[in-house]
Amino acid sequence: MSDDISTNADRNRRQVLYWRLLARLFDHEEQPALETASVAVAGDLGLPAGLLDPAVSVDSLVQRFPELAAEFETLLTSGEHVPGGEVRRAALVSKLLLNVFATGAGDVSATQLATWQQDAAWLKRALCAGPAPGPGMGAGMGTGAGEPGGASGAAAGTGSDAGRDAGPAAGFGQGPGGGTGRGIDAGLGGDLAKVLADIEAGLVSRMRLREVLADPALARQLTPSMSLVEQLLRDKANLSGVALANAKALIRRYVDEVAEVLRTQVEKAGVGTIDRSVPPKRVFRNLDVERTIWKNLTNWNPEDQRLYVDRLYYRHTARRTTPARLIVVVDQSGSMVDSMVNCTILASIFAGLPKVDVHLIAYDTRALDLTPWVHDPFEVLLRTNLGGGNDGPVAMAMAQPKIADPRNTVMVWISDFYEFDRSQPLFDAIQSVHRSGVKFIPVGSVNSSGHQSVNPWFRQKLKDLGTPVISGHIRKLVFELKNFLA
């Protein structure tokens, strides 16, 4: 009987906490009865009053009450049932959800954005059952790849500066600065990752970004992220002086972080066939011990129990490579900014490989040849103009003359393929390029969430052509390119 009473009491206390959460999310005014009841519940559980205050970040709570860190880490994982445990979990879950999803209204400061990013990082770590970030280690969201950007979040109030995360990325696994941004995103559902990215974009748009950038102290508090980079690229024509210098520094930081993660992926992607026409290098690391023993078994001497080796065998390690041309065509429309950033950086990495000739074209209603700057993705991004319409045939007209040896050329076309009345002319050109022997790779999205709207008509047409649209993690594109280039 007492167990039933205890169970009912726990259920009622959980309901109080969740009703307060819903009231706070959908009504900015406090509900006194729910607030009073929630404070009582938190007190009974021995939880600090700051847990109920959305102006207090999770980082601040953990710094003052270190014992809460372990609970936040394993918050959404299954565990043994303990009396009152579900109520305690409900209180902690409410804290995370309220800080991440109740973004309020009005202007957002750099400190608030950084604090929000840290809170969102705790939520994503709880969802992925990963390690919690230490102070100043805000893991970001990234869109991308693996973008190592900060995660979105907007708890009002103060907090420590968000640290840099990585990636790609995505995701992109462990990244510079100790964060795990893109790796975490890989464990999130695509819908949730997109929701968080949209919230972050909304927060960035509510910032008085030009004023923040004009103040070096405030600008240093900004954590580079895909949403922030997109906003900076859109507004770069209106920036000057200190603000422009700070904007460029943020973009450069983001580009360098993503590049580091992507460069690691390119190096790790093992592809290509062994070229046995090239004699193996006779060094110890290439020694084929098993084959050497097998081939010399006839030299076994049973009297002295020794195997006499008269010939050593080595592994072939040289891979067959030929000079290749990589042509990357990027749609500059605003919806493609995530893929554009990732693929621009990826193009610069492949441009640094031996025997790979990389060309880069960006287009909206006009086409722009960015090949002279392909080795520097930062300069490429500064020369792009986000937004505007699409005219794929114009870009194809610039790209086709670059095809010298079709069988040794790969063309990566990054777009949502919404060409409207130009759809058929562009598809006809793609079909002609494909049939000439060019390896054509259409890309709808290469980011951490994998979400991208691609014209259904084009998606089906390209699938029928045998060149399905790549949408998802950037590792897919890395694998396709390295397979071709090797």
Side-chain angles (χ1 to χ4, degrees), residues 88-100:
R88 193 176 182 90
R89 178 181 293 186
L92 297 175
V93 167
S94 295
K95 174 63 176 176
L96 281 179
L97 295 180
L98 187 61
N99 277 24
V100 171

Side-chain angles (χ1 to χ4, degrees), residues 181-376:
R182 291 181 181 268
I184 290 174
D185 281 337
L188 291 178
D191 290 339
L192 178 56
K194 186 176 186 302
V195 168
L196 292 178
D198 289 343
I199 294 174
E200 181 181 26
L203 290 170
V204 171
S205 68
R206 283 162 50 193
M207 292 180 68
R208 296 192 175 186
L209 199 53
R210 297 177 194 174
E211 295 178 14
V212 172
L213 291 171
D215 186 331
L218 293 176
R220 281 194 295 271
Q221 297 182 37
L222 293 173
T223 301
S225 66
M226 181 61 73
S227 297
L228 183 59
V229 168
E230 178 178 354
Q231 191 69 23
L232 293 174
L233 291 175
R234 289 183 185 279
D235 204 35
K236 64 181 185 291
N238 299 314
L239 301 175
S240 61
V242 175
L244 181 59
N246 286 330
K248 288 183 176 181
L250 284 166
I251 296 173
R252 171 69 77 180
R253 276 174 57 192
Y254 184 80
V255 166
D256 290 345
E257 289 173 9
V258 177
E260 183 174 338
V261 178
L262 292 182
R263 192 173 292 110
T264 301
Q265 289 197 359
V266 171
E267 292 169 355
K268 285 183 177 179
V271 292
T273 56
I274 297 296
D275 189 351
R276 299 193 179 276
S277 65
V278 179
K281 247 185 187 176
R282 296 178 179 274
V283 294
F284 179 74
R285 69 173 178 271
N286 290 342
L287 180 63
D288 190 336
V289 177
E290 291 184 2
R291 189 163 176 241
T292 296
I293 294 173
W294 177 257
K295 290 289 189 179
N296 287 280
L297 280 178
T298 54
N299 298 329
W300 171 256
N301 189 324
E303 294 180 2
D304 55 12
Q305 296 289 298
R306 290 176 180 269
L307 177 66
Y308 293 93
V309 177
D310 56 18
R311 181 179 174 185
L312 296 174
Y313 290 85
Y314 296 87
R315 297 186 186 90
H316 290 265
T317 56
R319 295 189 181 274
R320 190 171 290 116
T321 59
T322 55
R325 174 161 293 186
L326 169 62
I327 302 172
V328 181
V329 184
V330 186
D331 177 351
Q332 287 190 107
S333 64
S335 62
M336 296 301 298
V337 62
D338 196 343
S339 295
M340 183 188 71
V341 171
N342 284 326
C343 291
T344 297
I345 296 170
L346 193 61
S348 73
I349 294 171
F350 277 101
L353 298 179
K355 299 183 178 179
V356 180
D357 180 24
V358 180
H359 294 254
L360 181 61
I361 296 170
Y363 76 96
D364 42 30
T365 54
R366 298 176 299 174
L368 179 64
D369 192 343
L370 296 170
T371 303
W373 302 278
V374 72
H375 288 85
D376 190 343

